[in-house]
Amino acid sequence: MTTTPVLGPTDLHLLAEGTHERLYERLGAHPAVVDGVEGAFFGVWAPNAESVSVIGEWNAWNLDAAPLARVPGSGVYQGFVPGAKKGSLYKYHLVSRGGAHRKDKCDPVAFRQEAAPGTASIVWDLEYEWKDSAWMSRRAERNDSSAPISIYECHLGSFMRHVEEGGRTLTYAELATRLVEHVKKLGFTHVELMPLTEHPFYGSWGYETTGYFAATGRYGTPQDLMALIDAFHAADIGVILDWVPAHFPTDAHALAAFDGTHLYEHEDKRQGYHPEWNTAIFNYGRHEVRSFLLSSAMMWIHRFHADGLRVDGVSSMLYLDYGRREGEWIPNRHGGRENLEAVDFLRRFNEAVKRDAPGVLTIAEESTSWPMVTGPRESGGLGFDYKWDMGWMHDTLRYLSRDPIHRRWHHGDLTFRGLYAFSEKYVLPLSHDEVVHGKGSLFGKMAGDTWQKLANLRLLYAYMYSQPGKKLLFMGSEIAQEAEWNHDRSLDWHLRDDPARAGIELLVGELNRLYREHPSLHQEDLSPNGFFWLDADDAGRSTLIYERVAHDPTDRMLVLLNLTPVPQKNRRVGVKAFSTWEEVLNTDAANFGGSGHGNLGELAAVPVPWNGRPFSLSLTLPPLGALFLHKRPDPSPAPVLPAV
């Protein structure tokens, strides 16, 4: 490299101010050649250490061979170490003030870490020749709120495995073919990858991160991950990465008590310990910690070309009493339960992304009634682009788990969302959280026998794709996975041999196609102008009828759901004008595994008033089925010929 990654006065000022967003360019390990000598520059923030040295395989882990110099007036140690090179294992040896504590720690800003159970960092770089300029030039358009956004959520280690090789996980390079082809075939616009930041415990799925700047080496090198993202972009698929600034594990080799003091976390366990996850909580009020986290987020965006960050555990960040009983937490300076420092950090995070990476999405996993999670920062909001609608998910799954004979008494589970659907900008998530820890699969949650379970599953997916909001589906749900998700094994791809399961996968592809191709289903996803109830109150027959509308109000889609296993014939629905409606999707079609009830492809309106409209359609609602009826364009008026 030609530049020297040494922190100058400006860097030190920004670090101390909490506004440095590119610490990865200065701290960590950077291979270099200085005066013909191969080595690496190292930099680490350890303000309470009396001394710091770099120990590694090139110096036989000698504690005294490579001391770093403290930058005057700062808590940063840095220096050039001859002999270290790309691929070298290393750690920092820290001696606390007075020599009371001596610790060997991995590098908080390392780009790569040794595979578990090893705990060393690896000297590496982030050099890569990107080939996605075409995607990057139109990314903002693809991520626009009026664009179709349907997300395939994936855990790379259990998507698919080599059974013939003892269940080996696929590599980033193998996933660049198999996963990309699968997501492309299904028609998803985006993929969301569960955390790929390095983590010591595989069973945490990446949500207990130790390497906030290191791509996990379980599947390959950082450059291999970049190539996977490049492959998604070549296939016109955006990549959202899960990012976890809410907490971190207390493994002795990592961030906890880093320099002999509680540097990254609060010292008081009432603020710095997470009782639900047995992890440490970042001290968001410490300026350097904010710089550390902001820099992590921006590195994944700038150096890995992430198109979005989904922020995990936002609820736990916002509330000081999250997961705690009375007396186990400390109120804020106003006596309240809000974590004011975390709120400030989240606003700064969203501001930084919008300023430096316009078009990149930020998505909050937030399950409470905290106001304005997606509201503008200047108006007091947190500034996220989207929030997961956990309420919709819980209500819908609870409803569909009920025997249809009882659903009439719980109709409000489906209509309640109408009271808040546009209070935030929502993603409708059917995520990994709903198919693990004893909750069973989505298929298993559905009521009835196997046929009814599959029909209910088709109904669930159609309902999600027809409701306002962006979409998210966890891997395996497209093949009606029966078993609960297990991170230690592959999805049950053999289920595709069952025509009924193949029909579910076919339906997901058709729903994605319909969602992408019809503006009425996505352009007004976040606006009440794009959604109109025609019949929300028919609890007795357990049906829902509504209309989706595009920017052009003549582009309309009728959606009708029959949530009972009984076909309903001669059902009437009002329309505004004499018109023809094409049945563009019927979840009960035989090729999806249904019983084949339908309306022969199209319906014509007749002058019978209904639902407060002057015309209406008479149709058949299939059992446990959903219909999508698209209004055919109005015929062009006959040309006026000039008089002869």
Side-chain angles (χ1 to χ4, degrees):
M1 64 188 296
T2 57
T3 59
T4 302
V6 174
L7 275 82
T10 300
D11 293 300
L12 295 172
H13 171 77
L14 295 175
L15 171 62
E17 190 180 55
T19 58
H20 206 307
E21 298 168 7
R22 304 234 179 188
L23 283 178
Y24 57 89
E25 295 179 351
R26 296 290 183 262
L27 299 181
H30 300 268
V33 177
V34 176
D35 297 330
V37 178
E38 184 178 16
F41 282 97
F42 292 88
V44 61
W45 176 57
N48 300 302
E50 189 170 277
S51 66
V52 178
S53 60
V54 183
I55 57 176
E57 54 187 359
W58 70 92
N59 63 18
W61 304 93
N62 187 326
L63 303 182
D64 303 314
L68 299 180
R70 186 179 184 117
V71 178
S74 80
V76 174
Y77 287 82
Q78 61 185 15
F80 177 73
V81 177
K85 59 184 180 181
K86 184 175 178 178
S88 295
L89 299 179
Y90 73 99
K91 286 187 178 183
Y92 293 121
H93 179 70
L94 300 100
V95 179
S96 64
R97 290 175 183 171
H101 299 281
R102 293 175 177 269
K103 297 187 175 186
D104 296 340
K105 291 280 193 176
C106 65
D107 189 344
V109 191
F111 296 144
R112 194 175 177 190
Q113 292 185 0
E114 188 180 16
T119 58
S121 300
I122 303 175
V123 178
W124 208 257
D125 62 41
L126 297 180
E127 300 304 315
Y128 179 79
E129 186 176 343
W130 287 92
K131 306 173 186 65
D132 63 351
S133 58
W135 166 267
M136 297 293 280
S137 68
R138 60 181 186 270
R139 175 169 68 183
E141 174 188 343
R142 298 296 179 88
N143 284 353
D144 189 77
S145 62
S146 65
I149 296 179
S150 60
I151 304 165
Y152 185 77
E153 187 192 22
C154 184
H155 178 257
L156 294 189
S158 55
F159 167 72
M160 188 178 290
R161 293 196 172 196
H162 289 284
V163 177
E164 67 280 6
E165 297 181 35
R168 175 179 69 80
T169 61
L170 299 186
T171 64
Y172 289 127
E174 291 167 328
L175 289 159
T177 299
R178 299 194 190 189
L179 177 59
V180 172
E181 286 180 353
H182 182 66
V183 176
K184 182 70 173 179
K185 176 186 174 183
L186 287 176
F188 286 93
T189 66
H190 292 70
V191 64
E192 180 180 319
L193 304 179
M194 290 167 66
L196 296 175
T197 42
E198 193 59 88
H199 47 287
F201 177 45
Y202 177 71
S204 77
W205 316 327
Y207 291 104
E208 294 188 5
T209 290
T210 54
Y212 277 82
F213 297 81
T216 181
R218 288 175 172 85
Y219 318 115
T221 68
Q223 283 74 15
D224 293 333
L225 173 55
M226 293 173 183
L228 171 59
I229 294 172
D230 228 350
F232 274 117
H233 288 171
D236 283 332
I237 297 166
V239 178
I240 299 166
L241 300 179
D242 273 13
W243 185 62
V244 192
H247 62 124
F248 60 91
T250 57
D251 298 59
H253 69 279
L255 294 178
F258 184 75
D259 62 358
T261 67
H262 297 279
L263 189 62
Y264 288 91
E265 71 275 24
H266 282 279
E267 181 177 3
D268 192 319
K269 292 187 70 171
R270 292 174 295 175
Q271 295 174 288
Y273 172 72
H274 204 300
E276 287 192 353
W277 300 320
N278 191 30
T279 51
I281 299 172
F282 282 105
N283 182 350
Y284 305 105
R286 181 164 283 160
H287 301 317
E288 294 88 350
V289 171
R290 289 205 304 271
S291 288
F292 173 84
L293 290 172
L294 288 174
S295 295
S296 169
M298 300 311 290
M299 186 206 70
W300 294 105
I301 292 170
H302 289 310
R303 301 307 296 269
F304 284 81
H305 288 202
D307 304 297
L309 294 177
R310 178 264 195 186
V311 182
D312 181 71
V314 171
S315 299
S316 73
M317 297 173 68
L318 294 175
Y319 297 97
L320 295 166
D321 62 345
Y322 186 90
R324 290 176 169 81
R325 296 187 293 269
E326 187 175 351
E328 294 180 343
W329 58 283
I330 300 175
N332 63 34
R333 61 181 178 271
H334 304 300
R337 57 198 283 255
E338 301 81 11
N339 189 333
L340 302 179
E341 290 80 12
V343 170
D344 179 67
F345 165 73
L346 290 170
R347 286 174 176 157
R348 288 172 183 254
F349 156 73
N350 281 304
E351 178 184 12
V353 173
K354 297 299 173 288
R355 180 186 65 243
D356 292 345
V360 169
L361 300 175
T362 62
I363 304 170
E365 186 211 15
E366 206 289 306
S367 58
T368 75
S369 57
W370 186 281
M372 298 181 67
V373 172
T374 58
R377 299 175 306 281
E378 55 271 20
S379 301
L382 297 182
F384 284 94
D385 290 296
Y386 295 101
K387 165 182 171 170
W388 277 16
D389 190 347
M390 312 291 275
W392 169 84
M393 177 272 298
H394 286 302
D395 290 346
T396 302
L397 293 181
R398 182 173 62 246
Y399 180 91
L400 288 173
S401 71
R402 300 183 188 279
D403 188 296
I405 199 170
H406 301 302
R407 288 177 177 175
R408 65 171 61 196
W409 310 112
H410 304 277
H411 197 68
D413 282 350
L414 297 186
T415 59
F416 177 73
R417 184 173 190 256
L419 299 177
Y420 70 86
F422 305 105
S423 61
E424 298 274 10
K425 302 169 186 175
Y426 285 112
V427 170
L428 306 180
L430 295 173
S431 77
H432 69 277
D433 278 329
E434 308 321 311
V435 294
V436 75
H437 294 324
K439 297 178 184 176
S441 64
L442 291 184
F443 170 85
K445 295 179 193 297
M446 301 296 105
D449 57 21
T450 297
W451 189 92
Q452 288 194 354
K453 284 180 181 292
L454 291 170
N456 276 309
L457 204 58
R458 295 192 298 269
L459 196 54
L460 168 64
Y461 297 161
Y463 180 53
M464 176 175 72
Y465 274 88
S466 63
Q467 278 286 299
K470 307 309 180 184
K471 328 298 178 189
L472 181 142
L473 189 67
F474 183 57
M475 66 178 196
S477 302
E478 74 275 22
I479 57 173
Q481 175 101 3
E482 287 192 32
E484 183 175 272
W485 172 53
N486 184 339
H487 61 265
D488 283 323
R489 57 187 292 270
S490 170
L491 297 177
D492 292 329
W493 293 108
H494 64 275
L495 291 174
R496 302 160 105 183
D497 297 335
D498 175 3
R501 309 306 173 105
I504 297 289
E505 188 173 8
L506 179 64
L507 173 67
V508 170
E510 283 299 295
L511 286 168
N512 272 317
R513 180 191 61 79
L514 203 70
Y515 179 58
R516 289 194 321 272
E517 294 180 359
H518 286 273
S520 55
L521 289 176
H522 63 252
Q523 281 187 343
E524 296 282 359
D525 254 341
L526 310 180
S527 166
N529 296 328
F531 180 87
F532 299 96
W533 283 111
L534 291 182
D535 194 342
D537 301 321
D538 190 3
R541 290 183 290 188
S542 297
T543 62
L544 294 175
I545 304 175
Y546 46 88
E547 196 169 31
R548 296 298 308 276
V549 183
H551 291 338
D552 175 0
T554 66
D555 185 352
R556 312 177 83 87
M557 183 79 72
L558 277 173
V559 181
L560 305 96
L561 287 79
N562 176 11
L563 297 136
T564 76
V566 180
Q568 299 186 27
K569 298 185 177 182
N570 302 316
R571 283 299 306 269
R572 196 164 289 279
V573 56
V575 295
K576 289 188 173 182
F578 179 73
S579 50
T580 301
W581 295 75
E582 181 183 4
E583 188 177 83
V584 292
L585 191 140
N586 178 347
T587 65
D588 192 50
N591 58 335
F592 299 141
S595 59
H597 288 81
N599 296 278
L600 302 178
E602 70 176 29
L603 298 123
V606 295
V608 176
W610 209 264
N611 299 128
R613 295 179 169 187
F615 293 82
S616 61
L617 308 172
S618 178
L619 44 76
T620 295
L621 293 184
L624 293 176
L627 299 178
F628 289 70
L629 305 178
H630 183 246
K631 181 178 177 292
R632 288 254 177 97
D634 295 327
S636 301
V640 178
L641 301 177
V644 177

